[in-house]
């Protein structure tokens, strides 16, 4: 590899080379857009029903608690059953809840508790399916394309973040809440169709990773069902793992009980280092809660300026995504994530010091770009470094950290700003994040040295292929 850095646009090899991933990406992109439209509809409807910031704040409670409570359970399920079947079932649940939201809007519901209950139920289904869904790219793509696939997914998410709220405003203004929820239901139906077209993805029993095996894992015995994942010392494992695979289920239950998601993360320096880097960045430097205060202090509280803050982050993220071919081809994923996290912290410290609006927006755009690079490289590293038998549970740990870190970071920033000032909170948070990330880098040599496997990452022994178009997913050659 030459020392010259080549700027590449978005790497579209996963879309060109894998029909199953292309189906998944289209379905996910459509569902993300529908979800953003529905999020705005829920916010507007709750405000319409309550006229209180406490009511709109309750939306966070209705989504945050189910995500934290059911996310880890979703990880255990993802390591027990066919992941495609699990995501199909949870997507069906989300589709039914979207239909129920549409129905309550058509019925002119005035009970905010019913609306919040439906939001919480939708989050339960999302939390149960998210860990399994996170494992799909590494099973559908060769190892050297996993980061590119995640970058494509991130770009579609950032695009939905930009277009969804604007589209929701137009839809609600013209056709009211039922239309917004109806669009979400249609979007979930498209996502369901994409999941149905995927090949079966049962968890594999091997404990090697893509990095260690150069791609592909051997399929182990699949008997014993849920008992193999939950059984301890034979108790629940014996109850659920009856039949010809009883003894193997008991051994599997003890092994999996011993090596749960958190234990795997703590045992692998690359995993805990990557997640610690993300947690340091979000917990110490998350800026969103301070946007209104900064806007009030420096820009007169103009609501359009507040909107520009959020848009700048999204624009930076989309720009980084469109140019992600530059970084997804770099094999030093650990160094890339660490560097991006440092840029994130410095950019947000710069935002705290910025006077002119153009400089503040530039700093936020740089932070959004760094966040996209960090998310893509971290997600690829976590999936490639985790044995398939534990990917669901490790993905649930990553998901919980991804949810809790930003929320706690916003809370921390708000508390510090109330005791000092918004600029001080931003600068201290950004500098603290940089120092924490540098500490992780200094103490975690495996993360610094990590290299993405050049090939592999998909199952090489997946059994019969139901459709010729799916051969690339279940017969990936290292």
């Amino acid at each position: 590899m030459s020392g010259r850095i080549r700027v590449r646009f978005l790497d579209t090899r996963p879309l060109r080379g894998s029909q199953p991933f292309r189906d998944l990406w289209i379905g996910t992109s459509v569902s993300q857009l529908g979800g953003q439209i529905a999020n705005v509809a829920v916010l507007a409807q709750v405000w319409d029903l309550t006229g209180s910031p406490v009511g709109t704040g309750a939306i966070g409670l209705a989504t945050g608690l189910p995500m934290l409570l059911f996310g880890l359970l979703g990880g255990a399920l993802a390591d027990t059953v066919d992941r495609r079947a699990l995501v199909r079932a949870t997507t069906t649940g989300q589709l039914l809840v979207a239909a129920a939201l549409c129905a309550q809007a058509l019925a002119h519901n005035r009970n905010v508790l019913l609306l919040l209950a439906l939001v919480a139920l939708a989050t339960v289904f999302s939390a149960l399916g998210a860990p399994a869904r996170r494992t799909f790219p590494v099973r559908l793509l060769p190892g050297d394309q996993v980061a590119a696939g995640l970058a494509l997914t991130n770009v579609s998410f950032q695009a939905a973040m930009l277009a969804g709220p604007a589209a929701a405003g137009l839809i609600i203004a013209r056709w009211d809440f039922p239309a917004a929820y109806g669009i979400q239901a249609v979007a979930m139906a498209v996502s369901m169709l994409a999941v149905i077209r995927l090949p079966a993805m049962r968890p594999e029993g091997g404990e090697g990773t893509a990095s260690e095996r150069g791609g592909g894992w051997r399929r182990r015995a699949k008997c014993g069902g849920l008992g193999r994942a939950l059984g301890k010392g034979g108790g629940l494992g014996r109850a659920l793992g009856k039949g010809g695979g009883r003894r193997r289920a008991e051994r599997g239950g003890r092994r999996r009980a011993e090596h749960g998601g958190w234990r795997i993360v703590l045992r692998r320096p690359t995993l805990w280092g990557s997640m610690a880097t993300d947690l340091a960045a979000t917990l110490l430097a998350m800026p969103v809660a301070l946007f209104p205060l900064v806007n009030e202090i420096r820009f007169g509280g103009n609501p359009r300026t507040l909107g520009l803050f959020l848009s700048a982050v999204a624009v930076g993220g989309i720009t980084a995504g469109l140019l992600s071919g530059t970084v997804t081809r770099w094999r030093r994923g650990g160094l890339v994530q660490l560097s991006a996290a440092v840029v994130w912290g410095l950019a947000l410290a710069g935002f705290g010091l910025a006077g002119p609006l153009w400089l503040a927006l530039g700093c936020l755009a740089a932070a959004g770009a760094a966040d996209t690079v960090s998310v893509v490289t971290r997600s690829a590293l976590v999936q490639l470094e985790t044995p398939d038998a534990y990917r669901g549970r490790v993905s649930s740990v990553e998901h919980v950290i991804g949810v809790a870190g930003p929320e706690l970071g916003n809370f921390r920033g708000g508390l510090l700003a109330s005791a000092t000032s918004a600029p001080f909170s931003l600068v201290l948070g950004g500098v603290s994040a940089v120092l924490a990330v540098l500490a992780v880098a200094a103490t975690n040599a495996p993360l610094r040295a990590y290299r993405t496997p050049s090939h592999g990452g998909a199952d090489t022994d997946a059994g019969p292929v139901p459709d010729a178009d799916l051969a690339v997913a279940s017969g990936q050659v290292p």
Side-chain angles (χ1 to χ4, degrees):
M1 178 177 177
S2 67
R4 184 166 55 96
I5 296 177
R6 298 180 60 189
V7 176
R8 298 175 183 263
F9 290 99
L10 187 64
D11 187 352
T12 59
R13 288 177 299 162
L15 296 178
R16 299 195 308 268
S18 173
Q19 176 71 42
F21 179 81
R22 184 161 61 247
D23 292 340
L24 176 67
W25 184 81
I26 292 172
T28 301
S29 300
V30 172
S31 67
Q32 286 172 341
L33 180 60
Q36 290 299 319
I37 292 172
N39 288 344
V40 175
V42 168
L43 183 64
Q45 189 178 2
V46 169
W47 180 259
D48 183 58
L49 293 175
T50 66
S52 167
V54 175
T56 54
I59 299 173
L61 196 61
T63 56
L65 284 179
M67 186 64 71
L68 293 173
L69 292 174
F70 289 91
L72 295 177
L73 175 59
L77 290 173
D79 289 339
T80 305
V81 301
D82 181 356
R83 292 164 181 163
R84 179 191 63 171
L86 176 59
V87 173
R88 185 169 55 193
T90 56
T91 304
T92 299
Q94 290 175 280
L95 171 60
L96 293 175
V97 174
L101 285 167
C102 185
Q104 63 86 29
L106 286 170
H108 303 289
N109 168 52
R110 303 301 301 175
N111 187 338
V112 70
L113 293 179
L114 173 61
L115 177 57
L116 293 176
L118 290 173
V119 170
L121 184 59
T123 306
V124 168
F125 287 120
S126 175
L128 290 174
R133 188 179 284 273
R134 281 172 175 256
T135 69
F136 285 171
V138 76
R139 293 287 293 268
L140 297 175
L141 298 170
D144 60 344
Q145 294 184 25
V146 170
L150 294 170
L152 287 163
T153 302
N154 188 271
V155 166
S156 69
F157 172 75
Q158 296 284 357
M161 287 282 289
L162 269 181
L170 295 175
I171 292 166
I172 294 171
R174 186 172 180 85
W175 295 292
D176 213 355
F177 300 124
Y181 295 130
I183 288 174
Q184 186 200 19
V186 172
M188 295 311 303
V190 173
S191 179
M192 167 66 75
L193 180 62
V195 173
I196 289 174
R197 288 171 57 85
L198 295 177
M201 293 191 210
R202 295 178 179 85
E204 299 168 2
E207 298 200 8
T209 68
S211 299
E212 293 163 350
R213 298 186 178 220
W217 296 268
R218 296 194 188 98
R219 186 174 300 280
R220 305 287 177 90
K222 297 193 277 276
C223 53
L226 187 61
R228 194 169 64 176
L230 299 179
K232 292 185 179 180
L236 185 58
R238 282 195 295 270
L240 298 178
K242 295 179 180 179
R246 175 174 174 173
R247 285 187 298 274
R248 279 176 292 182
E250 292 172 8
R251 289 196 300 270
R254 287 192 295 269
R255 184 171 60 249
R256 291 192 178 203
E258 181 183 359
H259 304 297
W262 285 102
R263 186 177 179 88
I264 287 291
V265 169
L266 294 176
R267 287 178 59 203
R268 291 181 178 266
T270 49
L271 292 182
W272 73 252
S274 181
M275 293 189 190
T277 299
D278 182 71
L279 187 61
T282 57
L283 182 62
L284 296 175
M286 199 66 189
V288 177
L290 301 178
F291 283 176
L293 188 53
V294 172
N295 184 40
E296 185 69 30
I297 293 172
R298 291 186 175 162
F299 305 106
N302 189 329
R304 283 177 290 189
T305 305
L306 182 60
L308 288 175
F309 287 171
L310 295 168
S311 297
V313 176
V315 167
I318 289 179
T319 302
L322 292 175
L323 297 175
S324 61
T326 305
V327 296
T328 56
R329 287 178 171 86
W330 292 346
R331 295 184 59 194
R332 300 296 296 272
L335 280 179
V336 171
Q337 187 195 355
L338 290 166
S339 301
V342 168
V343 172
W344 158 270
L346 292 176
L348 291 175
F351 173 65
L353 296 172
L357 178 60
W358 65 266
L359 182 57
L361 296 179
C363 288
L364 289 176
D371 181 57
T372 291
V373 172
S374 180
V375 167
V376 169
T377 52
R378 183 202 73 228
S379 299
L381 185 152
V382 168
Q383 292 300 317
L384 290 169
E385 280 296 284
T386 303
D388 190 71
Y390 307 104
R391 270 205 193 110
R393 281 167 287 177
V394 171
S395 293
S396 69
V397 172
E398 182 193 14
H399 190 59
V400 167
I401 289 175
V403 170
E407 295 299 331
L408 292 175
N410 278 320
F411 180 67
R412 178 213 60 81
L415 281 181
L416 183 58
S418 66
T420 56
S421 68
F424 180 83
S425 179
L426 285 164
V427 173
L428 181 62
V431 172
S432 298
V434 169
L435 294 176
V437 171
L438 291 177
V440 173
T443 57
N444 196 315
L447 181 62
R448 297 195 310 271
Y450 173 77
R451 289 181 178 270
T452 303
S454 57
H455 298 286
D459 185 17
T460 58
D461 185 20
V465 180
D467 190 303
D469 289 338
L470 304 182
V472 68
S474 55
Q476 206 66 256
V477 179

